Amino acid sequence: QTRSFCYIDDQVKGQILAMEKGEPGEVFNIGNDDEHSILEFAQQIKKLAQSKSKIIFSEELPEDDPRKRRPDITKAKRILGWKPQVSLKEGLLKTIEYFRKVL
């Protein structure tokens, strides 16, 4: 399975631009088109968090769970001049830091 993760700061900036520059009712994909496997995502979290957690594999997937998830953000780039700025690694580091402070 693959997923594309968009850091919240990028998501909010994209949505604000869509409200400001888009036409009423116009739809934009606001996300990150940088696609990673779930395994790669889990391995990166373990490394960055210096975790000794085990990655557990399961053959069972939730019903209707897509194998791939990657938005086409071409329209947002073209019309809004928007694209995500925060890399997966940078977003994970910020998220790990946040949870270490609040937990």
Side-chain angles (χ1 to χ4, degrees), residues 68-102:
K68 297 180 77 121
R69 194 174 287 170
R70 180 178 181 238
D72 179 354
I73 61 173
T74 306
K75 182 178 174 184
K77 288 179 179 178
R78 187 180 77 248
I79 294 174
L80 306 177
W82 175 88
K83 66 179 182 178
Q85 301 297 310
V86 179
S87 70
L88 177 61
K89 181 178 179 179
E90 182 183 355
L92 288 174
L93 285 169
K94 288 180 179 189
T95 302
I96 290 165
E97 180 182 337
Y98 167 80
F99 279 106
R100 284 188 172 146
K101 285 180 183 177
V102 299

Side-chain angles (χ1 to χ4, degrees):
Q1 289 178 291
T2 65
R3 295 292 183 268
S4 300
F5 296 93
C6 187
Y7 193 68
I8 189 67
D9 293 355
D10 287 335
Q11 182 69 222
V12 170
K13 287 175 188 172
Q15 289 185 15
I16 290 170
L17 284 170
M19 289 186 293
E20 293 174 347
K21 293 185 174 184
E23 296 295 322
E26 190 170 12
V27 176
F28 292 93
N29 280 333
I30 303 296
N32 195 325
D33 58 356
D34 185 24
E35 187 176 20
H36 298 272
S37 72
I38 295 296
L39 177 58
E40 181 184 351
F41 182 63
Q43 290 168 333
Q44 200 165 110
I45 290 171
K46 276 186 63 171
K47 181 179 177 182
L48 295 173
Q50 299 174 341
S51 171
K52 294 186 186 335
S53 299
K54 291 182 181 179
I55 296 173
I56 299 171
F57 296 88
S58 174
E59 294 298 321
E60 296 181 36
L61 296 176
E63 190 175 321
D64 297 328
D65 191 43
R67 295 250 178 231
K68 297 180 77 121
R69 194 174 287 170
R70 180 178 181 238
D72 179 354
I73 61 173
T74 306
K75 182 178 174 184
K77 288 179 179 178
R78 187 180 77 248
I79 294 174
L80 306 177
W82 175 88
K83 66 179 182 178
Q85 301 297 310
V86 179
S87 70
L88 177 61
K89 181 178 179 179
E90 182 183 355
L92 288 174
L93 285 169
K94 288 180 179 189
T95 302
I96 290 165
E97 180 182 337
Y98 167 80
F99 279 106
R100 284 188 172 146
K101 285 180 183 177
V102 299
L103 296 180

